[in-house]
Amino acid sequence: MAAISASLVKELRERTGLGMMECKKALTEADGDIDRAIEDLRKNSGLKAAKKAGRTAAEGAILTRVAEDGSYAAMLEVNSETDFVSRDDNFKSFAAKVLAKVFETKSEDVAAIMDGELEDARNQLVQKIGENISVRRAVVVDAPEGGVVGAYVHGDRIGVLSVLKGGNPEVAKDVSMHVAAINPVVARPEDMPQAQLDSEKAIILAQPDMAGKPEQIAEKMVQGRLKKYLAENSLTEQPFVKDPNQTVAEYAKTAGGEVVGFTRFEVGEGIEKEEVDFAKEVMEQARRS
């Protein structure tokens, strides 16, 4: 059985809002797997949802560039080891050169983009700064005929490209701002993967208030909650962040636009970063000396 650390209990408490003992028990039963513990808590305690993990694993920056006519756009993530380096002018200049090549070639193949001069420039930057720099990912998005792509970057850490059928660049940018702030799962309800719906249905059925319900009533309740889940997690159905009285779909429609999709990058998402307790490290070193 995995040891349950205080930091793991603290993270689960922050993500669920539940008590310390309840979180510790859930983690113990889940053998330290925080995602499994959250799923079990949702089944057993009626917990509606949990916050996403707040820890990011790498530093760096997100950059975007949109064609003047809004017909296509590129987005790039470049990572550094520290936030300090990501604000350095040399780092920014290098990242801008990489983005320019992505934009000009319309290529998402990072290895091919970096082959040659840009890789040499990266190596020189690493030697100059004394910190590893890596180009992690790139994406190029095309607008449908008569449509537009809009971009928004928040603090160099979150970038979004939104695609509209019809509409205009300003509306597409506003939609991207909404995505950056709210982080929907999918663009439209019909885009939600069936596997995710099946998982959500299983969680709903396992919640305490579903126990003993006749099959027809239980199914009606499940469908109602799934509909609500889709509305909360689909971009088009969410209340627009700048005007909650209308949905994002309704906002886009005011400019003759229809939301087609979006791509969202956040610096360091999905990369695990080892947390170092420097005080403990120094103490251990002192004991050994």
Side-chain angles (χ1 to χ4, degrees):
M1 183 178 291
I4 308 303
S5 66
S7 62
L8 200 59
V9 175
K10 180 175 180 288
E11 182 180 347
L12 185 56
R13 288 189 69 191
E14 288 173 351
R15 292 177 64 181
T16 63
L18 298 176
M20 182 179 71
M21 295 309 296
E22 193 171 3
C23 289
K24 187 172 183 179
K25 181 183 177 185
L27 283 165
T28 301
E29 291 174 353
D31 200 25
D33 186 328
I34 195 165
D35 291 324
R36 201 173 100 203
I38 288 171
E39 187 167 325
D40 290 343
L41 284 167
R42 290 193 64 196
K43 288 178 178 178
N44 300 329
S45 71
L47 178 72
K48 290 183 179 179
K51 295 177 183 177
K52 294 184 179 180
R55 292 180 300 179
T56 54
E59 300 301 332
I62 306 294
L63 301 87
T64 63
R65 182 173 170 183
V66 182
E68 287 187 16
D69 60 359
S71 61
Y72 79 99
M75 183 160 60
L76 176 74
E77 178 180 0
V78 183
N79 293 132
S80 59
E81 291 181 42
T82 63
D83 180 57
F84 176 77
V85 164
S86 71
R87 299 194 300 270
D88 179 81
D89 288 340
N90 295 295
F91 176 91
K92 290 180 178 180
S93 176
F94 167 73
K97 288 176 183 176
V98 179
L99 178 65
K101 188 167 182 181
V102 173
F103 184 81
E104 289 161 10
T105 61
K106 298 187 76 171
S107 172
E108 299 178 349
D109 187 339
V110 170
I113 290 163
M114 294 302 296
D115 188 38
E117 290 183 8
L118 284 175
E119 180 59 19
D120 291 340
R122 188 191 71 83
N123 285 324
Q124 289 172 18
L125 184 60
V126 169
Q127 291 176 9
K128 182 175 183 178
I129 293 177
E131 188 170 307
N132 188 32
I133 305 295
S134 64
V135 179
R136 184 184 181 198
R137 53 182 171 168
V139 66
V140 179
V141 175
D142 289 299
E145 187 174 351
V148 293
V149 180
Y152 175 76
V153 177
H154 182 77
D156 293 334
R157 298 192 63 83
I158 299 174
V160 180
L161 301 180
S162 293
V163 183
L164 268 59
K165 187 186 296 181
N168 60 61
E170 192 59 36
V171 171
K173 181 180 178 181
D174 278 346
V175 171
S176 295
M177 185 188 299
H178 174 99
V179 173
I182 308 300
N183 195 12
V185 177
V186 293
R188 301 165 297 188
E190 58 266 32
D191 298 331
M192 187 69 72
Q194 187 59 46
Q196 196 153 340
L197 286 174
D198 291 343
S199 175
E200 188 64 21
K201 183 175 181 179
I203 289 171
I204 293 168
L205 285 169
Q207 289 175 354
D209 66 342
M210 299 296 291
K213 292 286 192 300
E215 186 177 344
Q216 287 185 329
I217 293 176
E219 182 60 25
K220 189 174 181 181
M221 290 173 68
V222 166
Q223 292 307 314
R225 292 183 187 181
L226 281 178
K227 185 177 180 181
K228 184 180 179 183
Y229 172 80
L230 285 170
E232 291 173 345
N233 291 281
S234 302
L235 170 61
T236 55
E237 308 305 300
Q238 292 177 336
F240 180 43
V241 71
K242 292 174 75 173
D243 180 7
N245 292 318
Q246 58 182 338
T247 65
V248 172
E250 289 168 342
Y251 170 67
K253 193 174 180 180
T254 60
E258 178 187 344
V259 176
V260 175
F262 68 86
T263 302
R264 185 183 190 274
F265 281 1
E266 186 165 349
V267 168
E269 61 188 347
I271 305 174
E272 297 225 356
K273 183 178 180 181
E274 183 182 0
E275 291 190 2
V276 180
D277 187 335
F278 289 107
K280 184 179 179 182
E281 197 175 88
V282 171
M283 286 176 68
E284 288 177 353
Q285 188 172 342
R287 288 194 194 102
R288 290 195 298 267
S289 61

